[in-house]
Amino acid sequence: MLETIEAAPRDAILGLTAAFREDPRSEKINLSVGVYQDENGKTPTLECVKIAEQRLAEAASVKSYLPIPGAPEYAEVVQQLAFGADHEAVASGRIASAHTPGGTGALRVAGDFINANFPKATLWMSEPTWPNHGNIFAAARVPTKGYAYFDKSSNALAFEPMLEAIKSMPVGDVILLHGCCHNPTGIDPTPDQWKQIADAVYGQGLLPLLDFAYQGFAEGIEEDAAGLRAFCRPEAELMVCSSFSKNFGLYRERVGALSIVCPAADTVPAVQSQVNRVIRSNYSNPPAHGAAIVNCILRDESLRATWEKEVAAMRSRINGTRQQFVNALAAKGVPGDYSFITQQRGMFSFTGLTKEQVETLREKYAIYIVGSGRINVAGLTPANIERVAKAISEVV
Ligand code: LMR
């Protein structure tokens, strides 16, 4: 039977990293996958994480199963971080929660939940979006369609077309939005636009699903939750997929969460039971370590302060690098105005490079960029930025 199987296509992002690893050229540069690197090109383990791990190692070790949706204390800190400690939705207990293996795990649980409970719903994704969104919802058998998001000519949000698209979506559908640091464009709505988007989404009778993977990477931990909180209205329904891969640097620990805000606390038990059912038949219950680290940091005043400083340092390096990149492109005489790169937020820059240019960068210069022209700005360092700008000037 196995001999009949054809090879699957390479993953648009992780497949590139696999190819990068196999590339024997010593000068190779990986600007594809969204993993933070410091100015030395290293992905650091955060100081707060090291201390938390030490504390966890010294505490009594328990290796029995976690509950299906994970530990309640973790759910509590996740809700407080995303929605705000004093938020009415948190205080009134109207959020069903699950600790999931990464943000991807949260999206897949959300997809399975939608398929099981709203089998007629279509999920609307921004055009463009993270390539794995399509894979996840196809695997969960949730039909998908696209809505306008990016205006190529102005390198800005296609706000009016987006609103128009929302206003023609059928009642009972689900709309996927990026909570902050839109992947891949780096373009987010303003607070006022978020409000108008939320008005349109609820006015249309849609269920919003927010992918919230970069909290702290745009403007600040609280500031970056503004879009999400624009949806968190009295009695309103909302699903949020959090990831702690980037902001805690816990990529390989696979730690994330799904939060489903219900209209009232008495809706939570049924919703929670359906989430638990989906998880039980998938991975049964979550892996403990990453969530224990996040829980330890967010509950300790001093570790939390260290974490906030470390997130601010990552954010500031990325934002500084954006300006250096624009300067380097100008210095190498790349035609066109690239100042829009400094307006983009989060880890990525959507450069406008074509598929062919991206391919030439990989084949000729050993520079790896995602096919959409998305660059991981956090992969640029003082040692490689000139070379990247020079290569881009040559391919453009
Ligand atoms: C990315 O977009 O590069 C990250 O979210 C990593 C991934 O899993 O694709």
Side-chain angles (χ1 to χ4, degrees), residues 66-67 69-79 97 99 295 299:
L66 280 174
E73 57 267 28
Y74 172 74
E76 189 179 52
V77 292
V78 169
Q79 289 180 13
S97 286
H99 153 197
N295 184 52
R299 283 179 186 279

Side-chain angles (χ1 to χ4, degrees), residues 1 5 11 21 48 136 138 140 143 146 156 167 182 205 226 235 257 261 264 282 372 390:
M1 286 160 73
I5 290 178
D11 181 76
R21 282 200 200 102
C48 58
I136 292 167
K167 287 176 186 163
H182 183 269
E235 294 177 24
V261 184
N282 188 347
S372 61
K390 184 160 186 292

Side-chain angles (χ1 to χ4, degrees), residues 124-129 145-151 158 176 178 182 184-185 350:
W124 294 80
M125 307 189 291
S126 64
E127 279 173 347
T129 194
K145 286 189 179 154
Y147 62 86
Y149 188 84
F150 178 62
D151 178 39
L176 176 63
H178 299 222
H182 183 269
T185 66
F350 207 47

Side-chain angles (χ1 to χ4, degrees), residues 15 135 206 316 351:
N135 300 336
L206 305 170
S316 141
T351 56

Side-chain angles (χ1 to χ4, degrees), residues 13-14 32-34 130 183 214 246 348 374:
I13 296 175
L14 297 187
S32 59
V33 69
W130 181 49
N183 179 2
Y214 294 88
K246 333 279 170 174
F348 305 117
R374 187 197 82 172

Side-chain angles (χ1 to χ4, degrees), residues 19-41:
F20 175 82
R21 282 200 200 102
E22 286 159 18
D23 191 328
R25 292 174 287 181
S26 60
E27 74 280 15
K28 62 188 177 178
I29 300 171
N30 189 4
L31 303 176
S32 59
V33 69
V35 173
Y36 177 81
Q37 294 174 29
D38 63 19
E39 53 287 344
N40 302 312

Side-chain angles (χ1 to χ4, degrees), residues 120-122 124 145 165-174 201 204-207:
K120 295 204 173 93
T122 290
W124 294 80
K145 286 189 179 154
I166 292 172
K167 287 176 186 163
S168 65
M169 291 175 192
V171 178
D173 275 0
V174 181
V201 164
Q204 199 63 23
L206 305 170
L207 176 60

